[in-house]
Amino acid sequence: MNLEAYLEANEKEHLQQLFNLLRFPSISALSAHKNDVLACAEFIKNHLANLGFENAELLPTKGNPVVYADWLHAPGQPTVLVYGHYDVQPVDPLPLWTTPPFEPEIRDGRIFARGATDDKGQTFLHFKALEALFQTEGKLPVNIKFCIEGEEEIGSAHLPDFLEKNAERFQADVLLISDTGMIAPGRPTICYGLRGLVAFELHVETAKRDLHSGEHGGGVPNAIHALAELIASFHDAEGRITVDGFHDQVTSVTAEELQAFRDLGHDDEAYRTSLGLPALHGEPGFSTLERLWVRPTLEVNGIYGGFQGEGTKTVIPREAHAKLTCRIVPDQTPEHIYQTIERHIEKHTPKGARVTLTRQDSGRPYVTPFHHPAIQWAAKAYEKAYGVEATFTRGGGSIPIVETFDRLLHIPVVLMGFGLPDENMHAPDENFALENFRLGTRTLAYYYQGLPDALK
């Protein structure tokens, strides 16, 4: 049986295996799911061992374990390090899910579940591609190492230290990751750059307790008002970030790269309509793709405070909170961004309020030259599976650990993603297209098959 026939004959079983993986509520951000995270890691370890990979184990970190396994029986051939993550985002708001987030279901040609596209579904494609090669050829054309972590959704806080201490174990010739996306259905895409991440929380306090809005209204500060005023100070009316020094480290994009963006034929109106927006909004003077890929951002992700229940409660809240993240671009650093935010808050704290800034996740941006043979071969593998040429783009999201791998291992990073823009990553009704489940598995199998010749 050849590779394509094997994958077609076993597709139903492979989907059931993926569903079993998706059923784990491995939410790394919530301590209540610690045991679910560990159970998910154990499931992947056992699955890799059953496929024929050796040395399958859970490597401890200061947080959630890393799943490791290898197959190193292709002497003289390249070694590929496959990175992915088994943790997922929280599911809130739960009422917006059509079906329960951890009960996978196929509807309209898509797999619906938390983690379907980010990143269990995409990581699972590697397992099945390599399984197909094992079963049809009796061996693998390359050496393989896995590094599947459980804290990507909370910034991979413990992985850099772990990798520095275990760099020799993970040494390879190529790092291969499927945790990015395609620009449209049927348009395979290789991502050669990622924005970095800076996350923080704002805590605003005023009085020592909530106050009666009749007895004290008009004479005391309101924590929510203060928070809203502070948040509003981060941007001007047109969408520019107004934090002094925020853009100091931003590197200009080359004219060649900007022309490549224009050649993609991005349709602003189609993009707006697909998101159900009355209008697009962003930093003046830049195209939508520039705003999404090569310009930094400062976004409010959540805000809370005061009375949230049904009906009315006439209080002046004593505290209010907001969660914010920045996407940063070369050559910005998390440290510099934190410092500019701190200075801005000191300068703009409203009268009568006390503001505390709490630092959270961070990760550096990453850009790689896309002329390396390992990356160019990825384009050929996509073309063989999808029948069209692959597109090279930057990505607006973040995989914080990519820059760390680059710095420690000094190997090319190949980002072969199969997600689509409308798959609700991080949102209710997350999903993954069955077409990309099928073609993605084949693409990766072709990539592994041809990589030795590509690197000669």
Side-chain angles (χ1 to χ4, degrees):
M1 186 178 295
N2 65 27
L3 186 143
E4 289 79 5
Y6 177 85
L7 288 171
E8 184 174 350
N10 289 276
E11 180 178 301
K12 185 175 181 181
E13 180 182 352
H14 291 170
L15 284 170
Q16 287 304 313
Q17 293 170 353
L18 173 58
F19 283 14
N20 290 337
L21 176 59
L22 293 172
R23 289 189 177 100
F24 289 97
S26 50
I27 305 171
S28 54
L30 302 178
S31 59
H33 287 280
K34 180 71 173 180
N35 289 337
D36 299 313
V37 172
L38 297 177
C40 186
E42 188 74 21
F43 175 90
I44 294 174
K45 181 200 75 172
N46 292 336
H47 188 71
L48 291 175
N50 290 336
L51 292 181
F53 291 97
E54 300 171 342
N55 302 308
E57 58 183 311
L58 300 185
L59 301 178
T61 73
K62 293 180 180 178
N64 297 326
V66 167
V67 182
Y68 178 84
D70 61 33
W71 190 88
L72 305 175
H73 300 290
Q77 302 303 338
T79 297
V80 179
L81 174 61
V82 180
Y83 167 85
H85 64 92
Y86 60 85
D87 65 320
V88 298
Q89 282 275 322
V91 299
D92 311 76
L94 189 59
L96 296 185
W97 287 82
T98 303
T99 52
F102 296 107
E103 296 180 18
E105 178 177 292
I106 294 177
R107 301 193 307 273
D108 303 320
R110 296 178 177 231
I111 305 164
F112 285 82
R114 176 58 92 222
T117 188
D118 183 24
D119 176 46
K120 292 178 182 177
Q122 295 203 56
T123 297
F124 188 78
L125 299 180
H126 291 268
F127 302 166
K128 297 303 101 176
L130 292 165
E131 174 188 322
L133 292 172
F134 265 135
Q135 294 299 320
T136 58
E137 300 181 7
K139 60 180 181 178
L140 298 180
V142 294
N143 301 291
I144 294 290
K145 296 178 180 180
F146 286 103
C147 177
I148 315 297
E149 69 151 319
E151 296 185 316
E152 195 274 345
E153 298 293 7
I154 52 174
S156 303
H158 299 104
L159 195 56
D161 178 67
F162 170 82
L163 289 174
E164 288 187 11
K165 294 177 180 177
N166 294 272
E168 185 174 350
R169 180 195 285 261
F170 291 101
Q171 192 61 55
D173 299 295
V174 174
L175 174 62
L176 184 56
I177 302 174
S178 295
D179 192 16
T180 51
M182 299 164 53
I183 59 174
R187 294 192 65 181
T189 306
I190 298 170
C191 179
Y192 63 91
L194 296 164
R195 290 192 288 193
L197 178 71
V198 177
F200 56 94
E201 288 192 18
L202 289 178
H203 307 276
V204 177
E205 295 182 352
T206 52
K208 63 181 180 182
R209 65 178 183 276
D210 286 355
L211 300 174
H212 190 290
S213 66
E215 293 182 359
H216 300 282
V220 299
N222 181 311
I224 294 179
H225 294 183
L227 178 60
E229 181 181 337
L230 185 56
I231 288 174
S233 74
F234 289 133
H235 299 84
D236 67 17
E238 294 187 288
R240 298 181 186 87
I241 296 172
T242 55
V243 177
D244 289 342
F246 191 91
H247 296 90
D248 286 354
Q249 298 175 319
V250 175
T251 302
S252 298
V253 181
T254 65
E256 178 186 11
E257 194 168 5
L258 291 177
Q259 184 60 49
F261 292 175
R262 288 190 285 270
D263 291 343
L264 292 174
H266 176 81
D267 186 333
D268 271 5
E269 181 60 18
Y271 176 60
R272 180 196 68 78
T273 303
S274 72
L275 299 176
L277 288 169
L280 298 178
H281 179 71
E283 187 179 8
F286 297 92
S287 69
T288 296
L289 292 185
E290 288 177 86
R291 294 169 183 168
L292 297 178
W293 294 344
V294 299
R295 296 299 295 171
T297 68
L298 197 168
E299 301 283 0
V300 181
N301 310 123
I303 185 168
Y304 55 102
F307 178 61
Q308 305 291 316
E310 183 179 358
T312 300
K313 184 180 181 184
T314 55
V315 296
I316 298 172
R318 67 169 297 273
E319 61 181 60
H321 313 271
K323 296 177 181 288
L324 299 95
T325 51
C326 302
R327 301 289 176 169
I328 61 175
V329 300
D331 287 318
Q332 290 180 306
T333 64
E335 294 75 16
H336 175 75
I337 296 302
Y338 277 132
Q339 290 169 4
T340 63
I341 297 292
E342 284 176 335
R343 290 195 298 266
H344 183 91
I345 290 171
E346 291 174 3
K347 182 178 179 180
H348 291 85
T349 294
K351 185 178 180 180
R354 297 180 295 274
V355 180
T356 303
L357 176 69
T358 302
R359 299 184 180 189
Q360 295 183 318
D361 312 339
S362 67
R364 291 173 178 265
Y366 172 80
V367 176
T368 185
F370 53 81
H371 300 294
H372 191 283
I375 297 176
Q376 290 298 310
W377 173 242
K380 297 298 183 183
Y382 271 120
E383 186 174 355
K384 182 176 180 180
Y386 284 84
V388 297
E389 290 186 2
T391 297
F392 291 89
T393 70
R394 289 213 206 179
S398 307
I399 307 176
I401 203 60
V402 168
E403 188 273 338
T404 303
F405 275 118
D406 177 60
R407 176 168 46 84
L408 292 178
L409 302 183
H410 307 292
I411 59 177
V413 180
V414 183
L415 298 167
M416 297 180 69
F418 301 93
L420 294 175
D422 63 349
E423 287 181 344
N424 294 347
M425 182 171 59
H426 291 198
D429 277 355
E430 179 181 345
N431 61 87
F432 188 43
L434 275 174
E435 178 185 41
N436 287 336
F437 175 84
R438 296 177 180 124
L439 295 181
T441 309
R442 288 158 175 78
T443 301
L444 293 171
Y446 302 152
Y447 184 80
Y448 289 121
Q449 283 180 318
L451 186 62
D453 287 338
L455 295 183
K456 284 183 179 177

